[in-house]
């Protein structure tokens, strides 16, 4: 049985003081809630502040990105070791990193190797653009991103990775992917992982849907057998909406 995971990606929102406040409210909101992993991904500058609240509350913590090198002359970047001081997880290959910062599949793969070497658990993001979907390339694009990200990664490591399917056109647009289509894409993803690795590895991996997830649609995604949780942007920025989303997820029947 895969444990559901709801992750809040705060992107470039929240000062350390604001992050502390939101983390406290989320910790209160999910106190006593069982059967669900909750993860927060604040900006780097708020990682230590949120860690102090997240650890005792049993919330997981992720950085939103990192460099693959252990250290060096990489102004503005942070290393896997720096992330690991505070967080257990790291988001890699988010479409905003790919589209706005020119991150390539090769870099995502380097970061994935570096995450495992550091003992960090990666949340790898894949997803097609609107143009790619309109051209009928969604399945192929996503499959190719997965193959490239996992190049050289052994099955026992892959089994511990989390994969997030986030169609680019659904992110921050309010145009959430139709749940049946998300379910189809993610069943394809899991089948692809079984081919690339083996059935056991594919079954062990948690797959998240991301893109305009809100309290009013979260249960439609969780109802799908291959959707094990969600990566949430906008709706994770307010305590009320995120806590509502967590409550709805904790009581959702298993997909
Ligand atoms: P939204 O939930 O704001 O669409 O963002 C999704 C996302 O990119 C999470 O990583």
């Amino acid at each position: 049985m895969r444990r559901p995971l709801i992750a809040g990606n705060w992107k470039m929102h929240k000062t350390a003081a604001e992050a502390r406040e939101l983390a406290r409210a989320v910790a209160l909101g999910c106190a006593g809630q069982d059967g669900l992993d909750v993860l927060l991904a604040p900006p780097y500058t708020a990682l230590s502040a949120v860690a102090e609240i997240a650890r005792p509350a049993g919330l997981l913590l992720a950085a939103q990105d990192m460099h693959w090198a252990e250290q060096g002359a990489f102004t503005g970047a942070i290393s896997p070791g720096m992330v690991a001081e505070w967080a257990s997880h790291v988001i890699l290959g988010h479409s905003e990193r790919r589209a706005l910062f020119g991150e390539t599949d090769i870099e995502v793969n380097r970061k994935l190797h570096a995450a495992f070497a550091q003992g960090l658990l990666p949340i790898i993001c894949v997803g097609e653009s609107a143009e790619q979907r309109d051209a009928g390339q969604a399945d192929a694009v996503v499959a190719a991103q997965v193959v490239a990200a996992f190049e050289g990664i052994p099955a026992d490591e892959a089994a511990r990775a989390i994969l997030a399917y986030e169609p680019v056109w659904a992110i921050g647009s309010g145009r959430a992917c139709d749940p049946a289509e998300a379910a189809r894409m993610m069943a394809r993803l899991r089948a692809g992982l079984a081919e690339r690795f083996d059935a056991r590895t594919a079954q062990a991996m948690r797959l998240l849907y991301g893109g305009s997830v809100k309290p009013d649609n979260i249960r439609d995604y969780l109802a799908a057998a291959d959707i094990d949780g969600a990566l949430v942007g906008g709706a994770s920025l307010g305590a009320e909406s995120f806590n509502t989303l967590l409550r709805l997820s904790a009581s959702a029947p298993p997909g």
Side-chain angles (χ1 to χ4, degrees):
M1 255 309 249
R2 293 179 299 268
R3 194 173 156 83
L5 168 66
I6 305 293
N9 176 8
W10 296 354
K11 307 191 180 183
M12 200 174 75
H13 296 278
K14 311 287 176 190
T15 61
E18 291 164 346
R20 206 176 275 122
E21 192 181 326
L22 177 54
R24 275 205 195 100
V26 173
L28 271 179
C30 54
Q33 244 169 45
D34 246 356
L36 181 73
D37 281 342
V38 178
L39 178 145
L40 305 177
Y44 297 139
T45 47
L47 276 176
S48 68
V50 173
E52 283 169 20
I53 295 154
R55 275 186 195 140
L59 304 175
L60 302 171
L61 193 59
Q64 298 173 14
D65 183 37
M66 65 177 192
H67 199 282
W68 58 83
E70 278 178 32
Q71 58 184 12
F74 302 106
T75 300
I78 78 164
S79 74
M82 294 170 189
V83 171
E85 276 190 301
W86 305 109
S88 52
H89 289 66
V90 61
I91 298 174
L92 298 177
H94 191 281
S95 66
E96 285 151 16
R97 299 292 323 163
R98 295 177 192 256
L100 305 174
F101 299 94
E103 193 161 307
T104 65
D105 279 336
I106 290 173
E107 289 170 336
V108 174
N109 175 250
R110 280 190 186 145
K111 292 177 180 190
L112 188 54
H113 281 274
F116 283 123
Q118 186 62 52
L120 287 165
L121 295 173
I123 303 172
I124 303 133
C125 302
V126 296
E128 81 287 355
S129 67
E131 296 71 34
Q132 289 164 331
R133 174 157 287 268
D134 291 347
Q137 297 165 348
D139 295 30
V141 165
V142 166
Q145 286 174 337
V146 171
V147 168
F150 283 95
E151 177 69 39
I153 300 287
D156 61 324
E157 285 185 342
R160 291 184 285 126
I162 297 161
L163 195 56
Y165 169 58
E166 298 203 304
V168 177
W169 46 271
I171 294 177
S173 64
R175 244 184 87 209
C177 183
D178 173 56
E181 173 58 7
R184 187 193 70 78
M185 287 295 292
M186 292 171 73
R188 289 287 305 255
L189 261 178
R190 204 179 296 280
L193 291 165
E195 262 175 48
R196 164 66 178 80
F197 297 104
D198 53 74
R200 227 176 102 201
T201 303
Q203 284 303 320
M205 282 175 74
R206 287 195 283 190
L207 305 189
L208 312 182
Y209 167 75
S212 297
V213 171
K214 306 279 181 247
D216 63 4
N217 62 20
I218 180 69
R219 277 167 168 259
D220 299 337
Y221 296 109
L222 295 180
D226 286 303
I227 304 185
D228 307 313
L231 184 52
V232 185
S236 74
L237 294 176
E240 197 183 321
S241 61
F242 197 55
N243 281 338
T244 304
L245 218 145
L246 296 178
R247 214 170 34 249
L248 289 166
S249 303
S251 60

